[in-house]
Every structure is written in structure tokens, then in C-alpha cells.
């Protein structure tokens, strides 16, 4: 029986990989311009990291993690996101002693056992940044403007970020009382998970996806209206600076984010064009996370973008991605001696940066030409015993149809010139 890829995973095939490279390269380019450096973290971590970091009352930790015991009996989890792993690395590698702020970016796969639908997978890809060490609104603005510039650079139009502040633990404790008072008379109409959340972490109720709970909560008081004056000042500064930089944003008091570590500024980029899984990017400040993972108190802020959702959004906006360039040359061969000669020639061209295909199927010349056409090769040269003998061969420009007799010795120079003119 054919073994298929597990549900919620997919192969990224050669005919679409250029779109992935395009966004990944743009992202690392923009991150570098902002002075962010790449970090690579393990695909799996100790389960406790996510329980502590992401929060054990979140959907991710309660329902969605791929957790197993390894052969040494340790509980291991495939990363459901990147922030917790990067924070672990910050602490473990003593990055607190590096010049601050520490600015990191990553390109990772992540794993969540979710109901699969358009834009929601069990293995997905995130581009993200994390900035450690600055509590200032300037850090929020740096991260948000990086996101903005990246989305703009890949051609996303009508770009507006949704922004909120969810305060700090002390203003949230006050809000929790108000929230509990609002929820109490409605509690028996909420789902079982929310009843549990009411005891353990009432804020998570605002994140429930059950329609019944959403209906019950439609008049819920907003956390933004309850934040303390320090948090409100911080948020005012973020808004003022974004406004002064001409970065468009909308205040969305409903954003609470689905992970426990957030404090103060939270933000999302939501698309209306790609269906119910429209949140392309989410992020925010997490000033208590490093401490709760065992480090000394250090502020942090970051975001992650889902590459699959970003590509869906680019499709829906009709954004063209440059196609990969065609092979520079196809070398056709006739006969054993010519084949040996062509193999050497191909190696020389390739070592000099030319994209070169040659027949390795033992096809007839006619079939080789058909294949060269399918490859969309820009130039074709056919080498047989006569060509090896005379050192001359016909070079055909496949777009103009023009054929020229050339010295094979001059092929490399000609190809380099041809590339310059046609690139
Ligand atoms: P998140 O909102 O859970 O945040 O995920 C960020 C993005 O990952 C989402 O906006 C979405 O594009 C993508 N994503 C999440 N789950 C799936 C899925 N099942 N299928 C496809 N795409 C998905 C975080 O992960 C935080 N670590 C972001 C962050 C970084 N906050 C601060 N720093």
C-alpha cells in the first residue's frame, strides 16, 4: 500500500520552491538591514519549556503539542513555535552578557496537532524575530517597522497592522477580577474548557474558538480599558512613534493572543482574503518570559509570520514572484567520445558559474532537443565526433533561433557575455 504524507503536512515541490526562497531571502535581507542575526534552534525541546513558556492553560499546550517520551524516558515536544526555544537559547548561551539589545531572527518549521483546513496545518513554517533587552517603546517600533517593511517589500497592499496592549501582570490581576465578575453569571453556558480556564486563567476564555462562548462574550469589557498608567504611557508612545513614521495601524481591543507570555503591546497582521485562518502574523512583548524560563528579568518582543498563509495572501493579491532563471545551456551529445568531451566541458562551465544540463539518458539527438526545449534552455550546442575533432560546433539561441558556428574553446566567454546581456 502507498504510504502517504501524514495529514496536515505537505511537500514543497520544485515548481513552487522559488516562491519560498523569494520570501525567505527578502525576510533575511530586511532582518539584516535592521541588525538582526539568524539563529537556528532545535526542532524538539523538553516539554517543560513549552508548558512554562507558552503556558499550560493555552490550547497549544493543552491540546496541540506533539509530545512523546524518548528512549531515555524524557518528555520531548516538537516545537509548536519558536519564541520559547529562542528564549531558552538566550539564557543557556549567556546572551545576557552580549551587547544589548540582542536581535535574532529565524526560519523554522513548527508542529501543532490542529484541525487541518486551508491555512492551518500540522507542520507549518514560521519566519520570526525576537529582540531582547529593551523595555522601551522604541524596541516595539523597531520590530513592528521591520514587519511592515518586510510585508511592503514583498508587495503586500492595503497593509494595516492591528495593535493592542494587554498590560502587565499587575494591571491584568485587576482586570481578571472584572472579567470574572462579568463571566460568573454566564459560566454555566460556557464550554468545559472555559469553565476550567475561569479558575486557572480567565484571560484565556477570550481566546476560545467555540461559537457558544464567543456569543456569550460579545459584550465583555476590554483589557485595554483597564491597563495601568505605566502600560498606557508605553502604549501611547508606541502609537505616537508608529504614527510619526507613517506606519498604518488599527487599534483592535479584542486581540489577546493565544499564548500566555505576552505583556503590553500585542499585534497581528490579519488578511480578509484567505479564509478563516486569516492571521498571517502575530507577535508582541513578553517582558516576563525570560525570568519565568529561569533567566534574569529581561524584556523581550517579537513576532512570527506563517509562510503558508503569507503565500496564500500573496496569491490572493496577485503578487508575482520572479521565476527562476532558465538553464544557460544544454549540451547535446552524439557518441561515446563526444559524451566524454561534453562531460568535461559541462564540468568546466559549471565550475565557472554557468547553469548547464547535458544528456545523461542516452537519448537520440531528437529526444535530447525535445528535452532541452522542455527545460527552456537558452542556448543549445550539440557535440559529436566531428565537433570534437574540429573543435567547432553550432551554438543555437533557442529564443531567436539564430545558429552560429563557434570555437568550442570560446564557449565559456560567449556564455558569460550572453548571460550579462540577457540577465
Ligand atoms: P502564533 O500566533 O501562534 O504566534 O503563530 C504565528 C503565525 O504562525 C500565525 O499568525 C500563523 O501565520 C502561523 N501559524 C500558526 N499556527 C499555524 C498552523 N497550524 N498552520 C499554519 N500556520 C500557522 C507564535 O507562534 C509566537 N511565537 C509569535 C511570537 C514571536 N510572539 C513573539 N515572538
Amino acid at each position: 500500500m502507498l504510504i502517504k504524507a501524514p495529514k496536515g503536512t505537505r511537500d514543497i515541490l520544485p515548481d513552487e520552491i522559488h516562491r519560498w526562497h523569494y520570501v525567505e531571502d527578502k525576510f533575511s535581507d530586511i532582518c539584516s538591514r535592521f541588525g538582526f542575526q539568524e539563529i537556528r534552534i532545535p526542532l524538539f525541546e523538553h516539554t517543560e519549556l513549552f508548558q512554562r513558556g507558552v503556558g499550560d492553560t493555552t490550547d497549544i499546550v493543552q491540546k496541540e503539542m506533539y509530545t512523546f517520551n524518548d528512549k531515555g524516558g524524557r518528555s520531548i515536544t516538537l516545537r509548536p513555535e519558536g519564541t520559547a526555544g529562542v528564549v531558552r537559547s538566550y539564557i543557556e548561551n549567556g546572551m545576557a552578557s552580549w551587547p544589548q539589545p540582542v536581535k535574532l531572527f529565524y526560519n523554522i518549521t513548527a508542529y501543532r496537532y490542529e484541525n487541518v483546513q486551508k491555512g492551518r496545518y500540522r507542520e507549518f513554517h514560521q519566519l520570526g524575530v525576537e529582540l531582547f533587552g529593551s523595555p522601551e517603546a522604541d524596541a516595539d517600533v523597531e520590530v513592528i517597522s521591520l514587519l511592515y517593511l518586510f510585508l511592503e517589500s514583498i508587495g503586500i497592499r492595503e497593509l494595516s497592522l492591528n495593535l493592542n496592549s494587554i498590560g502587565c501582570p499587575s494591571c491584568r490581576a485587576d482586570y481578571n477580577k472584572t472579567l470574572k465578575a462579568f463571566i460568573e453569571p454566564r459560566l454555566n453556558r460556557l464550554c468545559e474548557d472555559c469553565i476550567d480556564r475561569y479558575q486557572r486563567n480567565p484571560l484565556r476564555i477570550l481566546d476560545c474558538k467555540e461559537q457558544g462562548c464567543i456569543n456569550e462574550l460579545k459584550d465583555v469589557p476590554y483589557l485595554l480599558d483597564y491597563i495601568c498608567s505605566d502600560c498606557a504611557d508605553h502604549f501611547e508612545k508606541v502609537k505616537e512613534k508608529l504614527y510619526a513614521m507613517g506606519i498604518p495601524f488599527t487599534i483592535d481591543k479584542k486581540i489577546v493572543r493565544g499564548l500566555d507570555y505576552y505583556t503590553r503591546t500585542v499585534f497581528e497582521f490579519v488578511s480578509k482574503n484567505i479564509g478563516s485562518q486569516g492571521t498571517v502574523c502575530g507577535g508582541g512583548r513578553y517582558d516576563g518570559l525570560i525570568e519565568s524560563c529561569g533567566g534574569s528579568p529581561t524584556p523581550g518582543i517579537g513576532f512570527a509570520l506563517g509562510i503558508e498563509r503569507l503565500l496564500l495572501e500573496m496569491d490572493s493579491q496577485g503578487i508575482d514572484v520572479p521565476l527562476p532563471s532558465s538553464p544557460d545551456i544544454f549540451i547535446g551529445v552524439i557518441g561515446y567520445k563526444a559524451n566524454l568531451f561534453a562531460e568535461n566541458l559541462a564540468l568546466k562551465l559549471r565550475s565557472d558559474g554557468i547553469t548547464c544540463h547535458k544528456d545523461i539518458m542516452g537519448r537520440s539527438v531528437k529526444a535530447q532537443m525535445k528535452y532541452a526545449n522542455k527545460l527552456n534552455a537558452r542556448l543549445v550546442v550539440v557535440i559529436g565526433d566531428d565537433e570534437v575533432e574540429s573543435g567547432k560546433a553550432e551554438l543555437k539561441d533557442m529564443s531567436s533561433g539564430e545558429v552560429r558556428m563557434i570555437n568550442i574553446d570560446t564557449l565559456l566567454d560567449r556564455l558569460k557575455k550572453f548571460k550579462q546581456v540577457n540577465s
Side-chain angles (χ1 to χ4, degrees):
M1 207 180 73
L2 180 70
I3 300 171
K4 293 192 169 170
K7 187 173 173 187
T9 70
R10 58 186 288 271
D11 305 308
I12 303 156
L13 297 176
D15 67 351
E16 53 181 331
I17 198 72
H18 66 286
R19 305 179 69 228
W20 288 73
H21 288 162
Y22 181 73
V23 295
E24 289 166 349
D25 291 349
K26 280 265 187 236
F27 188 70
S28 73
D29 176 39
I30 298 282
C31 285
S32 307
R33 289 194 222 169
F34 277 76
F36 282 68
Q37 292 178 302
E38 186 175 358
I39 183 167
R40 299 194 182 181
I41 48 168
L43 194 152
F44 58 85
E45 300 271 0
H46 292 291
T47 303
E48 197 191 341
L49 176 71
F50 302 114
Q51 286 166 338
R52 265 208 261 166
V54 175
D56 55 12
T57 54
T58 58
D59 273 2
I60 295 180
V61 171
Q62 285 197 333
K63 302 178 188 167
E64 296 168 2
M65 295 205 305
Y66 281 88
T67 298
F68 57 95
N69 281 341
D70 71 6
K71 290 197 166 67
R74 301 167 200 93
S75 180
I76 294 293
T77 294
L78 304 189
R79 61 184 173 215
E81 54 106 53
T83 311
V86 176
V87 162
R88 193 240 344 108
S89 176
Y90 178 90
I91 301 167
E92 194 170 341
N93 293 293
M95 293 186 207
S97 66
W98 296 7
Q100 302 291 307
V102 172
K103 305 199 282 188
L104 303 169
F105 78 91
Y106 50 86
N107 176 0
I108 58 167
T109 52
Y111 302 85
R112 296 184 193 175
Y113 192 80
E114 295 203 73
N115 289 328
V116 176
Q117 61 181 99
K118 182 180 169 195
R120 195 204 268 157
Y121 312 101
R122 292 183 178 168
E123 179 187 67
F124 57 97
H125 298 74
Q126 286 187 338
L127 298 171
V129 307
E130 311 295 349
L131 185 158
F132 301 104
S134 172
E136 304 297 325
D138 294 24
D140 306 44
V141 169
E142 175 125 325
V143 164
I144 293 171
S145 58
L146 186 159
L147 172 63
Y148 178 76
L149 203 60
F150 167 64
L151 292 171
E152 202 191 43
S153 77
I154 54 170
I156 300 287
R157 291 183 298 276
E158 291 166 28
L159 182 53
S160 170
L161 304 172
N162 299 337
L163 209 64
N164 194 17
S165 174
I166 58 169
C168 61
S170 79
C171 43
R172 214 173 304 158
D174 288 343
Y175 172 72
N176 272 347
K177 288 183 202 139
T178 310
L179 183 61
K180 279 184 125 175
F182 174 86
I183 288 171
E184 206 200 332
R186 300 166 171 83
L187 193 57
N188 60 2
R189 294 193 291 277
L190 300 186
C191 73
E192 262 179 42
D193 283 345
C194 281
I195 293 170
D196 180 50
R197 289 170 182 141
Y198 178 80
Q199 297 303 337
R200 302 215 289 155
N201 187 356
L203 194 63
R204 286 271 68 86
I205 296 178
L206 303 181
D207 197 37
C208 184
K209 316 271 181 326
E210 295 284 329
Q211 196 52 49
C213 298
I214 294 172
N215 295 345
E216 288 298 328
L217 290 169
K218 68 179 187 316
D219 299 322
V220 72
Y222 294 118
L223 178 44
L224 183 61
D225 299 327
Y226 289 80
I227 61 176
C228 64
S229 62
D230 281 355
C231 289
D233 279 354
H234 189 272
F235 195 47
E236 275 314 305
K237 282 191 193 132
V238 174
K239 290 191 293 182
E240 247 171 57
K241 285 164 189 275
L242 290 176
Y243 187 71
M245 290 165 85
I247 295 178
F249 63 89
T250 309
I251 300 299
D252 181 353
K253 293 183 177 183
K254 289 200 184 107
I255 301 179
V256 285
R257 309 279 302 128
L259 304 93
D260 271 352
Y261 46 63
Y262 291 109
T263 50
R264 295 195 163 174
T265 316
V266 286
F267 53 93
E268 290 181 342
F269 168 54
V270 184
S271 156
K272 294 186 191 78
N273 310 318
I274 60 172
S276 65
Q277 300 306 309
T279 311
V280 176
C281 175
R285 190 166 264 292
Y286 45 83
D287 291 343
L289 179 59
I290 298 187
E291 194 178 2
S292 69
C293 290
S296 42
T298 310
I301 180 165
F303 67 76
L305 279 146
I307 303 185
E308 288 84 354
R309 291 186 194 175
L310 183 63
L311 292 173
L312 284 171
E313 174 64 5
M314 288 168 73
D315 266 350
S316 80
Q317 293 200 13
I319 295 170
D320 284 334
V321 171
L323 284 168
S325 51
S326 309
D328 300 319
I329 189 161
F330 180 86
I331 306 176
V333 288
I334 315 167
Y336 185 77
K337 217 163 112 192
N339 195 14
L340 265 181
F341 180 88
E343 264 156 3
N344 271 309
L345 179 63
L347 189 61
K348 271 193 208 118
L349 297 178
R350 287 165 178 161
S351 79
D352 270 295
I354 303 294
T355 310
C356 168
H357 287 250
K358 76 167 274 296
D359 180 63
I360 49 172
M361 298 288 287
R363 289 184 172 119
S364 69
V365 178
K366 198 173 159 204
Q368 290 183 44
M369 291 307 106
K370 224 169 143 186
Y371 180 60
N373 254 323
K374 280 194 189 141
L375 289 175
N376 216 6
R378 303 201 219 178
L379 297 168
V380 169
V381 67
V382 179
I383 295 179
D385 291 348
D386 288 352
E387 282 73 14
V388 176
E389 205 71 23
S390 66
K392 293 190 170 159
E394 286 184 342
L395 182 68
K396 183 172 181 187
D397 182 328
M398 296 298 273
S399 55
S400 67
E402 188 194 349
V403 178
R404 270 192 202 185
M405 185 59 83
I406 60 150
N407 282 327
I408 298 174
D409 285 350
T410 64
L411 188 58
L412 178 61
D413 286 341
R414 283 173 182 277
L415 277 166
K416 282 187 173 165
K417 275 191 201 125
F418 182 84
K419 263 184 96 161
Q420 261 169 14
V421 175
N422 291 286
S423 61

